[in-house]
Amino acid sequence: MNKMSADVFERMVTHLREGTTDLADSILHVPIANFTSKEHLDRELAVFRRLPLAAAMSSELRDTKSFVTRDLLGAPVLLVRQKNGEVGAFRNMCRHRGGKVELAEKGKKPFFVCAYHGWSYDGDGALRGVPFDDHLGGIDKSCNSLIRLACEERHGIVWVNLTDEAGSRIADYLGDADARLADYAADGTVIFMEQKLDVPINWKLVMDGAIDVLHPQFLHPKGVGKRIETSASVWEDFGRHGRSWSAYKRLSDKVKAGTASDEDHRYVTGNLILFPNASMIPTPTHLEYWNVWPDLEDPARAHVHIRFLVDPAVLDDERAAKINKSWEILKQAATEEDFPMEETIQANANAWPVGDFIYGRGEAPCQHLHRQMSREMDALPA
């Protein structure tokens, strides 16, 4: 799953040998108000709503008639595995008076019924039943199906576009990141575990923490900082998206000893960052997959969704134990170190929302997130 080009490995070895790292073209100054301003948040949300959003994993809709409901940026969405094998995405909204037609988070049903007045819909969204229809003055069922949203499955992820009825092809949206995501083989995985966390932190600060390459030895000296090299990194720019590579200490030791070889690719790990709010990290036992969602009203809050994905064909008790141990390590680092530090940053930003935060040339992954969001906001309709 952790495929890399020979060029990436050679660059990493050079960085470890010479004490260098990939550099952005210049320092980036990001206004502190970007983390506190409701007006800025509203513009970011406008960007999100124009893009394909990673709404669910394909494995959550494995069987025909299975469904999940999601709240995507405040929009209630119903996802259904239809008889033709495809996933359909609909507004979870009855065409009569707007009630949700499904309240459960997930399940399996042949049809969906609004609890308000009993209007029912098939799995393909078609209106199938209207109680007391003779009292309503004549309802044309063919014109009152659930409102369909553009939806596409790719690489084990169900993508939904809230505003583009036609829907842009996900391969086009991913661009050069498409082949990289395919390498991770997420379409053959199931969700081993997942955690949903609400944090008093701006969503970009959470993303920064997940992709920052300069902090492991300082913030995680007894954990990740003992295993991962700080600063030395390789950055691949895929347009909207990108990938950040970091080296394990094991590779650094071998480079210093002059014993590193091409077989040591396994001591380099890549974090694939899918703009705007997702990252996927392959590990020897599973895929670690993050989505970080902005709060709709409060710039100082975010909603973090972490999943561990695993190939069921290789899942046994030994692997499960290792994955559970990985979660304990991640939970400790995130909830006891990363999030508390980010909360202090947010508290300072709230108190003094003037001036800038500095993103140095050696912080290319974090710079990319903020530069790309600026480009997307600049492209919003006036």
Side-chain angles (χ1 to χ4, degrees):
M1 293 187 294
N2 203 24
K3 294 182 181 179
M4 75 181 77
S5 67
D7 173 66
V8 166
F9 184 69
E10 291 170 4
R11 285 158 60 188
M12 180 62 76
V13 170
T14 298
H15 288 326
L16 293 172
R17 182 185 300 119
E18 300 181 2
T20 56
T21 190
D22 278 10
L23 298 173
D25 293 336
S26 61
I27 289 175
L28 176 66
H29 292 265
V30 175
I32 295 175
N34 286 8
F35 304 91
T36 64
S37 165
K38 179 61 164 61
E39 180 181 0
H40 189 85
L41 171 64
D42 289 342
R43 294 182 67 210
E44 290 176 339
L45 291 170
V47 169
F48 270 78
R49 291 185 174 109
R50 297 180 72 195
L51 301 175
L53 302 175
M57 301 303 299
S58 295
S59 62
E60 297 179 83
L61 297 155
R62 188 168 299 279
D63 301 322
T64 301
K65 301 178 184 178
S66 58
F67 72 88
V68 297
T69 57
R70 290 287 188 268
D71 187 312
L72 293 182
L73 303 176
V77 174
L78 172 65
L79 303 172
V80 185
R81 178 71 68 184
Q82 299 174 131
K83 293 179 181 178
N84 63 3
E86 297 180 357
V87 174
F90 309 93
R91 294 186 192 177
N92 189 2
M93 183 179 77
C94 181
R95 296 301 301 276
H96 178 210
R97 298 270 291 282
K100 290 184 178 181
V101 299
E102 182 54 56
L103 300 177
E105 183 177 347
K106 60 183 178 180
K108 189 173 182 181
K109 288 183 176 181
F111 53 86
F112 303 91
V113 181
C114 177
Y116 198 7
H117 298 99
W119 285 34
S120 61
Y121 300 85
D122 287 327
D124 61 2
L127 179 61
R128 70 191 300 271
V130 178
F132 310 114
D133 59 343
D134 56 331
H135 298 178
L136 294 172
I139 297 296
D140 186 344
K141 292 181 181 178
S142 66
C143 297
N144 285 281
S145 299
L146 294 178
I147 296 174
R148 186 178 288 270
L149 300 169
C151 175
E152 182 180 344
E153 282 187 275
R154 191 164 183 83
H155 307 311
I157 299 173
V158 179
W159 308 79
V160 173
N161 194 307
L162 295 175
T163 56
D164 183 356
E165 293 183 2
S168 57
R169 292 181 65 250
I170 300 304
D172 294 336
Y173 174 70
L174 293 173
D176 290 342
D178 185 66
R180 278 71 175 188
L181 183 55
D183 287 340
Y184 290 175
D187 51 353
T189 65
V190 296
I191 298 174
F192 179 84
M193 58 76 62
E194 63 180 325
Q195 295 288 327
K196 296 180 181 179
L197 306 168
D198 294 333
V199 293
I201 309 164
N202 182 272
W203 73 276
K204 298 185 298 300
L205 292 178
V206 179
M207 288 293 292
D208 280 347
I211 61 183
D212 180 272
V213 296
L214 291 182
H215 78 280
Q217 78 178 68
F218 307 107
L219 193 59
H220 310 297
K222 297 180 180 180
V224 177
K226 294 174 65 175
R227 302 175 62 235
I228 295 289
E229 277 292 332
T230 295
S231 182
S233 67
V234 173
W235 170 247
E236 293 182 288
D237 191 321
F238 303 141
R240 273 192 171 111
H241 319 285
R243 181 160 55 181
S244 178
W245 295 94
S246 295
Y248 288 99
K249 295 278 190 178
R250 182 71 180 272
L251 178 59
S252 181
D253 292 341
K254 298 189 77 170
V255 169
K256 291 175 183 177
T259 60
S261 69
D262 289 344
E263 296 180 357
D264 295 323
H265 283 76
R266 64 187 182 278
Y267 300 128
V268 182
T269 182
N271 185 347
L272 182 62
I273 302 154
L274 303 175
F275 183 84
N277 69 327
S279 75
M280 189 172 286
I281 307 168
T283 79
T285 57
H286 63 282
L287 288 171
E288 180 183 319
Y289 176 48
W290 287 59
N291 286 115
V292 183
W293 298 95
D295 188 83
L296 298 181
E297 300 296 333
D298 188 351
R301 298 201 66 83
H303 311 286
V304 183
H305 191 177
I306 305 171
R307 302 175 182 93
F308 279 10
L309 312 176
V310 63
D311 179 355
V314 298
L315 183 61
D316 55 22
D317 290 344
E318 181 181 2
R319 183 174 292 255
K322 290 180 179 179
I323 297 174
N324 284 324
K325 183 177 180 180
S326 292
W327 166 244
E328 291 303 317
I329 294 171
L330 174 62
K331 182 171 71 170
Q332 185 275 329
T335 63
E336 298 180 23
E337 294 169 342
D338 282 317
F339 293 165
M341 171 55 68
E342 291 154 13
E343 287 182 39
T344 72
I345 298 171
Q346 188 66 55
N348 279 324
N350 292 342
W352 294 290
V354 294
D356 301 325
F357 288 149
I358 299 171
Y359 290 75
R361 293 186 63 199
E363 300 173 273
C366 294
Q367 279 205 24
H368 182 269
L369 171 66
H370 297 277
R371 291 185 186 277
Q372 185 60 38
M373 181 54 74
S374 292
R375 286 190 286 266
E376 298 281 353
M377 289 194 296
D378 287 344
L380 289 171

